[in-house]
Every structure is written in C-alpha cells, then in structure tokens.
Amino acid sequence: MKKRTRTRKSLTVKKRIVGFFAIAIILLGVVGGFSINKVIAESNNTAGNGAAAPVAVLAKTSDSDTSGAGGGATNANVLVKDLFEAYGGFFSKKRKFPRFKSKKFPKQSYQSKFVNNNVEIIDNSYIKLPKLGVMKYKNKKSIPSIIKYVTIRKSSTSKYYAVLTVDEEPEQLPKTNKSIGIDMGVSDLVICSNGRKYKTIRFDKKLAKKKHHWEKRLARRRTQALRDIQYKKKFGLSDPKTLEQYSNYIKAKLMVAKYSEKIANQRKDYLHKITRELVENDDMIVIEDLKTKNLLKNHKLSRVIANQSWRELRLMLEYKCEWYGKKLLIVNPFKTSQICSNCGYDDGKHGLDIREWDCPNCSIHHDRDINASKNILNIGLEQALVK
C-alpha cells in the first residue's frame, strides 16, 4: 500500500509540473502574438491531464481580448503573471496548489495593467477605467500621476472599489531616538513598555444584537427557500428558482454582510490609529512573535483572541516602519511575563488571573503586562546590539 501511495503522489507531481510548463508555452504564445486557442490546444495535446487546471483558466480569455491593446490584453498579461506566481509559490512549497476562482465567492475582482492611458483620473468625481469607460466615484485623497495597476473589486455588500497601485515615495517621519516594547493582550490590546495601554474595543459586541437579528432571519429564509425548491422539484409544478432568486433571502444575506463589514472596518480603523501613533513616536518598535493558531485552541478565549487581530496589527507595523524609515524587531516571547525586568529573576509561571506580582529578589512591584513589554524591549535591544 505504501508503494502505491508514493507512485500516485509522484504521478500527481509530474502532471502538475507538466501543467506549469504548459503555462510557459501559453505565455510565449501570448507575447509572440500567436492565437491563444492554438497554444492551448497544443499544450493540451502535449501536457495531458496535468495541464487541465491552468489551461481551463486561460481558456476563458478569448482571442479578441488578447489581440488588442485595450483592457482585455492587459488583463490577460496580469492573469498569466498571477498564475506564474501561484505555481512558483506551490513549487517552492510556500503555497498550496492553485485553485479556480469561484463565481460564488462574495468578493470578486478584476485587475488590469496601465497601458496607453487606459486608466485616468479625470477629476475628483470621475475616473476612466479599462472596458468600463468613464465612471463616477468618490475620493478624498490626491492620487499620484504614475499608476501601474487598477483592480476593480466588488465587496460582499455589493460595493465596487477601484484599487490603484501607484508609485509614490512616502515622506520620512522625523527621528525621535526612542525605543518601545509592545506586549499584546486580551483585556488591553496593546501594552507599551512606557506604561501606556490601548484598550480592547469589542466592535463585534456593539453590533451583535442587530447582526444576530438578521442572522436568524437569514437562516429561516434560507430554510424556507430550500424547502420551496424541493417541493416544486418533487411535484414538477413549475421551473424551480435558484436560491439567489429569492429576494427575501438575498436581502437578509446583504444585511448580515453589511454588519460584518462595518465591524471589520471599525476594527481596522482602530488598528490604523494605534500603529500610526506608535510609528510616529518611536524609532525602534519591538513586538512579540505570537502563535495565534495555538492560542485559538483555548475555547474560552478563542473568540476574544480572534477579535484582537494581532496578525493584522503586526502587518501594519511592518509596512509602516518600512515606509517611514523606522525599525521593527520581532522577538520570542518566551518567559517574558515571568522574568523580572529590573533584576532578571525568574519567578516561575503565573496564572492568567495574576495580573500583578512582587519580585522576591528585588521586591519591586510589577504589572504583569507592562513587565512583559519591558522584557520584550530588553530582548530587542540585545538583538539590535548583536546585529
């Protein structure tokens, strides 16, 4: 049995490798100006079933879309580039095998490259987009003149966004010659080594009643719609509608998505304000490397931990420090809440209910979280000296 399993795995990998090279052939065909359908047919004959996945995706692009210089041609180039990145990530074992883009997924997107002024900001109210022409939009920020890509994205609440990728050099923030250590917690989202704490705001609880109100209606209307579909199929009364054609179900689904989006936007806005303030006030920021996946196994705290968005906070600090010329260090949080930041004495493991303690060695009184943030800062300073 083991030999058979190994053989199947090796055959699967070979098919996927053949599929990857089929994409390379297709890319050469697009660049060289050959008909994409002919290249796909040739890759099907040579690659076999292994090339089915990439070929099926590229088959959606017609000859007219790839021959011209409009939005369709640039979209095909972006599609091929994304496929190469996806397969490159798979073969480097950083990502899973590429999957098809589902039409049922609530967030849909379309990307196009900036070519021959196919993307243009006309004024503060109108924008020119590939394939769509001049569209009305809302924007409060100034947009740089150099635009590289545009992504048209539809949210789960049926709102459309034009995401522009631009070239811009951010202004460097003034140096403060300050360093800070950050401990992330549950009752307080961020605890700084200087004693400052940023409180946790449960945005999900603020809108919980309204969201739950529509979640109940969504579940009930979905059950009623499915029951109606099965009844019509059984007795053949009329052509049964699909679930998406029941307006009451769609309305409830849209309202649930609306409250979920509002909660996510409020949380993201709060994280942006915290990270911006930290980057402005400090030149070096030291944070702990938390394994959120392991912490979520605690079912009593899993919902609160998921609401904290520690990973998103870390990502914001990473790119903002890179933008504004600040330094971010990530350290191992091992025993940071047990060791005295004043004398280095290890007092052993403390339960989560112990929020304050006195050091038996130097008799100093510690706040658990502030002491942990000071230890995180000390570890970061040691690493900075070594580097």
Side-chain angles (χ1 to χ4, degrees):
M1 293 297 292
K2 290 184 179 179
K3 290 183 179 178
R4 288 182 183 176
T5 307
R6 289 177 183 173
T7 307
R8 286 174 184 172
K9 284 184 178 178
S10 61
L11 287 173
T12 306
V13 171
K14 285 180 181 178
K15 286 180 180 180
R16 289 176 176 176
I17 291 172
V18 172
F20 182 67
F21 284 108
I23 293 178
I25 296 170
I26 292 168
L27 178 61
L28 292 174
V30 172
V31 174
F34 297 107
S35 172
I36 191 168
N37 290 338
K38 291 182 179 179
V39 180
I40 291 172
E42 289 178 6
S43 62
N44 273 327
N45 294 330
T46 55
N49 295 330
V55 167
V57 176
L58 287 175
K60 296 179 182 178
T61 307
S62 63
D63 290 336
S64 60
D65 285 341
T66 55
S67 59
T74 59
N75 181 45
N77 293 337
V78 171
L79 176 64
V80 173
K81 180 181 72 69
D82 291 342
L83 275 173
F84 261 102
E85 289 180 358
Y87 274 87
F90 168 71
F91 287 113
S92 62
K93 298 181 180 180
K94 293 180 180 179
R95 301 178 187 173
K96 294 183 179 180
F97 190 74
R99 296 182 298 176
F100 290 112
K101 191 172 182 180
S102 175
K103 291 183 179 179
K104 296 181 180 179
F105 191 67
K107 295 180 181 179
Q108 299 291 333
S109 63
Y110 160 82
Q111 191 178 60
S112 183
K113 193 176 181 180
F114 178 79
V115 176
N116 297 329
N117 291 327
N118 58 350
V119 183
E120 184 181 357
I121 308 299
I122 298 174
D123 53 28
N124 294 331
S125 300
Y126 292 93
I127 182 173
K128 180 186 173 185
L129 297 172
K131 285 192 174 183
L132 299 174
V134 179
M135 304 289 293
K136 192 173 183 179
Y137 81 115
K138 292 181 181 180
N139 179 42
K140 295 181 180 179
K141 297 182 179 179
S142 60
I143 300 175
S145 57
I146 303 174
I147 301 173
K148 298 182 72 176
Y149 291 94
V150 59
T151 304
I152 313 301
R153 185 174 297 166
K154 180 186 176 184
S155 69
S156 56
T157 54
S158 297
K159 295 177 182 177
Y160 292 88
Y161 298 91
V163 183
L164 301 176
T165 304
V166 299
D167 275 342
E168 184 181 21
E169 288 293 333
E171 295 181 4
Q172 298 296 305
L173 293 174
K175 300 294 182 181
T176 60
N177 297 323
K178 293 181 182 179
S179 302
I180 194 168
I182 292 175
D183 178 58
M184 290 178 277
V186 174
S187 58
D188 296 303
L189 176 60
V190 173
I191 303 96
C192 303
S193 56
N194 57 9
R196 181 162 189 180
K197 295 182 179 181
Y198 295 90
K199 294 291 182 182
T200 295
I201 301 177
R202 293 295 302 274
F203 297 106
D204 56 335
K205 278 190 173 182
K206 288 185 175 182
L207 296 172
K209 287 185 179 180
K210 293 181 179 180
K211 185 181 177 183
H212 185 59
H213 171 85
W214 282 103
E215 282 176 338
K216 288 189 295 182
R217 276 149 184 78
L218 175 64
R220 184 170 65 248
R221 291 174 184 180
R222 186 177 188 276
T223 304
Q224 290 173 349
L226 291 174
R227 192 180 299 161
D228 184 57
I229 291 170
Q230 290 176 357
Y231 181 81
K232 289 181 178 179
K233 281 184 178 180
K234 183 177 180 180
F235 294 100
L237 299 177
S238 61
D239 293 333
K241 297 188 293 185
T242 61
L243 191 61
E244 286 72 21
Q245 290 176 322
Y246 286 84
S247 58
N248 284 341
Y249 164 75
I250 295 298
K251 180 183 177 182
K253 186 179 179 181
L254 189 65
M255 291 302 295
V256 172
K258 176 184 174 182
Y259 285 114
S260 299
E261 186 182 61
K262 188 170 184 179
I263 292 167
N265 289 340
Q266 287 176 338
R267 186 187 296 120
K268 190 177 290 186
D269 178 68
Y270 185 52
L271 293 177
H272 273 299
K273 290 176 180 176
I274 292 174
T275 51
R276 174 70 183 188
E277 187 174 339
L278 290 170
V279 172
E280 280 182 348
N281 296 335
D282 303 285
D283 288 346
M284 188 175 76
I285 302 171
V286 188
I287 63 173
E288 53 185 342
D289 186 15
L290 287 176
K291 305 297 181 183
T292 311
K293 187 177 180 180
N294 297 333
L295 294 172
L296 288 174
K297 294 177 182 178
N298 185 347
H299 297 293
K300 294 181 179 179
L301 297 173
S302 58
R303 186 174 182 179
V304 184
I305 291 171
N307 179 73
Q308 298 298 81
S309 300
W310 291 329
R311 183 65 183 178
E312 191 169 0
L313 179 72
R314 172 176 165 176
L315 290 174
M316 287 182 181
L317 284 173
E318 284 178 354
Y319 75 76
K320 287 182 182 180
C321 287
E322 186 178 354
W323 280 1
Y324 302 117
K326 301 302 179 78
K327 191 174 183 180
L328 179 69
L329 293 177
I330 301 165
V331 300
N332 188 0
F334 181 64
K335 287 190 174 183
T336 51
S337 61
Q338 302 175 20
I339 298 174
C340 174
S341 58
N342 186 46
C343 65
Y345 177 78
D346 187 354
D347 194 35
K349 190 173 182 179
H350 300 139
L352 292 176
D353 56 329
I354 300 175
R355 309 311 305 171
E356 297 181 359
W357 56 284
D358 295 321
C359 177
N361 188 36
C362 63
S363 301
I364 192 170
H365 183 73
H366 285 299
D367 179 285
R368 178 194 180 105
D369 297 326
I370 296 176
N371 176 67
S373 61
K374 289 180 179 178
N375 284 326
I376 290 168
L377 176 61
N378 293 336
I379 296 170
L381 292 174
E382 290 176 2
Q383 289 186 4
L385 289 174
V386 170
K387 291 180 181 180

